Amino acid sequence: MDMGQTISKKIITWYKKHQRSLPWRSYTSSSDRDYKVLLSEFMLQQTKVSTVVPYFNKFYKKFRTIRALSKSRITSVLKLWEGLGYYRRARNLHQTAKLVLQKHNGKLPDSFLDLKNLPGIGDYTASAILSIAKDQPFIGIDGNVKRVISRVFNLKHNKKLLLSIEKKLNSMKVKKGSSELMQGIMELGALLCLPIRPGCTKCPIKSHCISFKKNTFKDRAKKKSYQIKYFNAFFITKNNKILFSFNKKFNFLQGLVNLPLVEVATNKHNVTINKVFKKALIGSSSVPLVKYKMSNFLMHIKVISLSNVIFNKTKYFWLGQKDIKKFTISTLAKKLLQVSSNHEK
Ligand code: SF4
C-alpha cells in the first residue's frame, strides 16, 4: 500500500474512535443526512463548531427537512440565525432549499457542478457535501485540511501550496470511507494538529509526518491584523421608542435592523449628522467608543445620542421594546443598544 493510502487508513481508524459527537453526524435517513450536512456546512462557514451547535439544534428543531425550509419565510430563517452573523449565509441557504425543491425534486444533487450552481455553495462546500453526505471521493480544503496536509508532507508555503496539497490529497483518496476520511482530516486539524503546540504524540500519523520528524512547524498562529474603519451610530429615543433603519448599504448587515449607521473617514461626527438627518440636536451623554470585529476589518463606532431629530420617514422608523423582538437584530445592533442604553440611565 502506498504512503497516501496508509495515512488515509490510519486517519479513518482514528476518526471512528475519536470523533466528537456532533448533531449533524447522526441521521435517520440519507435525505436527513443530506440536509444536516448542508445546514451544518452553511453554518460552519466562518464560524467555529462550538458556536454553531446550539444554532444548528434550534434550526433543525424548527425546519427538519429541505422541503420544510424551502416553504418557510425568510424572516423566520433570519430570526433563527440571529446572533450567528454573516446573514448572507441564511439567505443563500433559504434560496438553495427553494432551488433544490424546484429543480431537483427536493433531493440535494450529487454532482459537483449542480451543487456549485446553488447559492452560497463554492468549491469547498460542494466538495464537503459530496464527501461527507454522499461518500464520494472529494476532499474540501479548509484551514484544518490545509494545515494537516502541509505538515504531514512538509510542503513549502509558496504560491504552489494549494496545488501541492491537491496532489497529495489525490494520492490519499479512498474507494470506501470518503466521508470518514474528509471528516477525519478535519477532526485531526481541530483536535490534534493545532496551529500552535500540536498534539503530535497522540497523532495517529506521526510516524509518517515529515514536519513532526524534522520538528518544522511552518504555520504558527499569526495574530490577524485588521483594517480599522470608522463609523457613527445614532441613538435616538422618543416616548420609549428607539429610531432604527433597515441596513441596505452595508453588505455585512444586509436587510437587518440596526441603529442608523454611517461610515466616516474620521471620527468627526458633526459633519455626518447633517448628511443623515435633516435636523438634530446632539445629546449630552457620552458613550465610550464601541469596537466590533468583522471578518476582515475592525469597526470603531462612535455612538452619538441625538434628540429633536427630523428624518426621512422612508429610511427610519420607531420601534418599541415589543416590536424589536419581531425583527432580526444584528449582534452589532444589540451591542450598540446595550452600550447606549447603559449610558442613558
Ligand atoms: S504529527 Fe503533529 S504535525 Fe504531524 S499531522 Fe500529527 S499533529 Fe500534525
Side-chain angles (χ1 to χ4, degrees):
M1 199 184 287
D2 71 22
M3 171 88 93
Q5 293 296 305
T6 308
I7 291 173
S8 296
K9 214 177 151 209
K10 288 188 177 178
I11 291 176
I12 292 171
T13 308
W14 173 84
Y15 173 72
K16 284 181 179 167
K17 206 169 161 198
H18 297 278
Q19 63 176 285
R20 286 168 293 177
S21 158
L22 297 171
W24 47 89
R25 285 182 177 164
S26 62
Y27 41 85
T28 53
S29 63
S30 61
S31 58
D32 186 44
R33 185 189 202 186
D34 283 359
Y35 176 53
K36 282 179 168 166
V37 172
L38 177 76
L39 176 57
S40 62
E41 284 303 326
F42 268 75
M43 287 189 163
L44 287 165
Q45 290 166 5
Q46 320 251 26
T47 309
K48 55 185 187 202
V49 169
S50 55
T51 307
V52 165
V53 169
Y55 282 91
F56 178 93
N57 288 334
K58 205 166 60 163
F59 201 98
Y60 181 74
K61 206 170 162 193
K62 174 94 178 163
F63 303 119
R64 300 194 82 89
T65 59
I66 290 181
R67 179 176 288 272
L69 176 59
S70 73
K71 302 277 180 204
S72 67
R73 288 208 309 262
I74 184 63
T75 45
S76 318
V77 174
L78 287 171
K79 194 72 194 155
L80 285 167
W81 209 274
E82 192 176 279
L84 196 57
Y86 305 103
Y87 294 86
R88 185 188 287 268
R89 294 179 297 178
R91 293 178 188 281
N92 283 337
L93 176 66
H94 189 237
Q95 268 306 107
T96 284
K98 282 181 181 296
L99 287 170
V100 168
L101 199 73
Q102 284 163 17
K103 294 191 172 173
H104 304 281
N105 208 17
K107 195 174 178 299
L108 197 62
D110 49 16
S111 102
F112 188 77
L113 284 180
D114 283 345
L115 280 170
K116 273 201 65 183
N117 277 332
L118 295 167
I121 298 188
D123 285 2
Y124 169 76
T125 305
S127 301
I129 290 171
L130 288 175
S131 61
I132 300 172
K134 311 278 190 184
D135 219 10
Q136 288 190 31
F138 281 82
I139 302 176
I141 304 175
D142 71 346
N144 282 333
V145 174
K146 197 171 161 188
R147 188 170 58 255
V148 172
I149 301 303
S150 62
R151 281 176 172 174
V152 175
F153 298 100
N154 201 25
L155 301 175
K156 284 202 177 95
H157 284 240
N158 56 23
K159 280 185 197 162
K160 291 183 181 159
L161 177 63
L162 216 57
L163 264 180
S164 312
I165 291 174
E166 277 170 10
K167 230 168 147 184
K168 293 296 178 191
L169 285 174
N170 278 336
S171 76
M172 290 173 65
K173 284 181 180 169
V174 288
K175 289 201 178 92
K176 249 179 101 181
S178 295
S179 178
E180 283 97 352
L181 177 61
M182 161 106 206
Q183 293 182 84
I185 303 173
M186 288 162 72
E187 199 77 335
L188 199 59
L191 300 181
L192 290 179
C193 196
L194 306 172
I196 44 170
R197 288 192 286 280
C200 300
T201 51
K202 291 183 186 162
C203 181
I205 50 170
K206 61 176 184 287
S207 60
H208 306 280
C209 179
I210 303 173
S211 292
F212 173 61
K213 286 182 196 160
K214 291 189 173 176
N215 198 18
T216 53
F217 294 105
K218 300 277 184 204
D219 40 353
R220 291 181 188 281
K222 285 183 201 135
K223 208 165 181 229
K224 198 171 173 182
S225 64
Y226 290 88
Q227 183 200 356
I228 297 175
K229 292 189 178 183
Y230 297 92
F231 293 83
N232 287 171
F234 302 100
F235 183 63
I236 306 148
T237 57
K238 192 179 170 187
N239 302 330
N240 289 326
K241 292 189 169 179
I242 301 171
L243 195 71
F244 283 96
S245 70
F246 269 121
N247 264 290
K248 291 187 180 137
K249 195 169 172 200
F250 303 112
N251 267 342
F252 55 92
L253 295 169
Q254 259 196 5
L256 303 181
V257 168
N258 200 20
L259 294 185
L261 185 75
V262 63
E263 187 173 354
V264 292
T266 67
N267 57 358
K268 285 180 185 154
H269 56 81
N270 52 343
V271 182
T272 63
I273 292 171
N274 300 337
K275 283 186 184 168
V276 180
F277 302 112
K278 291 176 185 161
K279 198 181 145 201
L281 287 179
I282 299 178
S284 55
S285 66
S286 103
V287 178
L289 190 76
V290 174
K291 293 183 181 176
Y292 192 82
K293 258 184 210 164
M294 299 305 297
S295 61
N296 51 359
F297 62 91
L298 176 65
M299 298 173 85
H300 277 199
I301 307 162
K302 184 171 179 57
V303 184
I304 302 160
S305 134
L306 299 177
S307 61
N308 293 7
V309 179
I310 298 179
F311 56 86
N312 180 341
K313 290 199 171 108
T314 60
K315 285 188 179 169
Y316 305 102
F317 49 91
W318 297 105
L319 289 180
Q321 284 304 327
K322 274 189 189 162
D323 307 320
I324 291 175
K325 292 194 180 107
K326 293 180 199 154
F327 290 87
T328 306
I329 312 280
S330 66
T331 312
L332 169 63
K334 284 183 183 163
K335 186 170 181 179
L336 292 174
L337 277 175
Q338 192 191 21
V339 176
S340 311
S341 304
N342 286 346
H343 281 263
E344 278 286 292
K345 284 169 190 166

